[in-house]
Amino acid sequence: MKILVCGANGFIGRHLCLQLEAAGHQILRGIRPAHRTARAAQDEMWMDFSSDTQASVWVSRLQQAGQIDVIINAIGILHESGKQTFEAIHRDAPIAMYQAAQRLGITRIVQISALGGNQDAQIHEGMSPYLRTKREADRFLLQSDLCALILSPSLIVGVDGISSRFFRMLASLPVLLVPGDGQQRLQPVHIDDLCEAVVRCLSTPTGKTLELNVVGPSAMTYTEMLINYRALMGLRAGRVLCIPLWLMHTVAGLARFFPQQVLSRDSLRMLENNNVADPVPLQQLLARPSRNKESWFPQIPDSMLASEALLKWHLIFYRFTLASIWIITAVLSLGLYPLQDSLQLLQALPVPASLHLPLLYSAGILDGLLGLACVFAPSRKLWIFQLALIATYSILIALYLPQFWLHPFGPVLKNVAIVALLISLISTDRKAS
């Protein structure tokens, strides 16, 4: 079959594509265009759920792709940002795509929804926006004449998953930080089990819409989950520190301003809903037990898992160290250090005296902006720019203020350590998934 996988570059989408291809299916990868001026590859379909909310857009797009037998929607967000809203991503664009599929006679749909609270509960405004909009797309499929498979997974585990990496990072701390009493119940399911469930359902057409809660073999508390991650990394048992829920919600609200994709008020609210369900239907579909917590990461050495988790903390410390250096330098340049002394240093440069003050303030503002960017907008381009800037500063000092290279406090030699931090950040830069 020819299968369109929406969100093919995401965690779930990548694994789905691999298993579906292994099963002999032809895959059309639905992805957001990296560059509007480029052209999609032959096995790609460009889409943007934040703006593709009209059925007419999807009719044209699906027609151009030729015969499509199945559409899989594996797109979702935990944070809203600009046009990336829950309503657009989880409800409006998927429904528009499903309406277009109906018009074109594409009747087989797989919707990756979400488990949370009572699955039989009516949709209401009290639900988290994430869950409510997912359920609204589910309801459209249930009321349509499409042959849909609606999968509602609990927390999905995978060595390359964003949430799994995040929880391994938290579990690597000597003190386990848990929200509230840490007794929120979860039933994590492995990504391979979710993907195999899709493959098996597509191989046995039913002619009707099915709903399936996709959960692991046993429920566990949030604290038990972190303890299990810690055990899988070969680390000793850590102490548990309970964080009041009001403080967690405050932190989750602030987390949206930082470059991370897991912690949000919606994810915290869903955690409090107790994401558990009966594991038997999934096991019956798989014709085997689903993967248990001891076998989440088979054939991966515990030392490798621990090293990756600890590296995440190292990179955070590197970023905040750089941020503090740039910001403190900015504060010193913009007035804390005596202004006349700063201007006197600039006299050695081949720059007109009238430009010394604007140059000083411009450099100070640039340093401050770089410090803020280290915290809120880290990127490979930022690290490379900082390397170039430090090289420029070092060359100017070597040419016009060489005495600072011989200063006993080593003010310029400290750039060597900064360069090492930047090279580490550049070498470990990875695209989020």
Side-chain angles (χ1 to χ4, degrees), residues 131-355:
L131 190 58
R132 174 175 51 80
T133 50
K134 280 283 190 181
R135 294 285 174 78
E136 286 170 342
D138 298 348
R139 181 172 60 182
F140 174 86
L141 289 172
L142 291 169
Q143 295 175 348
S144 73
D145 57 0
L146 293 166
C147 176
L149 170 64
I150 301 173
L151 299 178
S152 298
S154 182
L155 194 64
I156 303 175
V157 173
V159 68
D160 56 331
I162 290 177
S163 63
S164 288
R165 286 172 171 166
F166 177 76
F167 290 126
R168 292 202 302 271
M169 189 177 83
L170 291 182
S172 68
L173 291 171
V175 176
L176 301 181
L177 307 177
V178 300
D181 59 6
Q183 297 303 301
Q184 303 86 356
R185 298 178 72 223
L186 301 161
Q187 209 161 337
V189 61
H190 197 274
I191 182 64
D192 289 348
D193 289 344
L194 170 65
C195 294
E196 186 177 336
V198 173
V199 173
R200 284 179 173 268
C201 283
L202 293 181
S203 66
T204 54
T206 63
K208 61 180 181 180
T209 292
L210 296 176
E211 294 182 273
L212 178 66
N213 294 327
V214 184
V215 296
S218 58
M220 64 185 71
T221 66
Y222 181 87
T223 302
E224 290 170 342
M225 179 185 68
L226 290 186
I227 291 173
N228 186 61
Y229 273 119
R230 194 167 177 83
L232 293 174
M233 292 187 289
L235 301 176
R236 296 178 181 177
R239 297 183 61 184
V240 176
L241 177 62
C242 298
I243 309 297
L245 282 176
W246 66 265
L247 181 56
M248 283 299 306
H249 279 281
T250 301
V251 172
L254 296 174
R256 61 193 177 97
F257 297 109
F258 293 86
Q260 57 85 38
Q261 297 173 277
V262 178
L263 182 59
S264 69
R265 284 176 173 166
D266 275 271
S267 61
L268 192 57
R269 287 171 65 183
M270 286 190 291
L271 175 65
E272 295 168 7
N273 281 336
N274 293 322
N275 289 265
V276 296
D278 183 0
V280 172
L282 174 62
Q283 294 175 350
Q284 290 176 337
L285 174 62
L286 299 177
R288 61 169 175 81
S290 49
R291 188 172 295 189
N292 60 36
K293 64 181 182 179
E294 290 80 14
S295 57
W296 281 352
F297 311 117
Q299 301 177 341
I300 300 178
D302 53 11
S303 58
M304 186 178 296
L305 292 171
S307 296
E308 184 195 34
L310 293 171
L311 177 61
K312 296 287 187 182
W313 287 115
H314 294 167
L315 297 180
I316 291 174
F317 294 149
Y318 295 169
R319 281 174 43 213
F320 279 84
T321 298
L322 285 170
S324 64
I325 291 172
W326 288 115
I327 291 172
I328 291 172
T329 302
V331 172
L332 292 172
S333 300
L334 295 175
L336 191 58
Y337 189 77
L339 181 61
Q340 290 305 316
D341 291 351
S342 296
L343 293 175
Q344 186 175 359
L345 291 174
L346 293 177
Q347 289 177 5
L349 301 179
V351 176
S354 60
L355 296 180

Side-chain angles (χ1 to χ4, degrees), residues 400-414:
Y400 300 105
L401 296 164
Q403 66 273 21
F404 282 101
W405 285 97
L406 304 175
H407 195 285
F409 290 167
V412 183
L413 291 176
K414 291 182 174 63

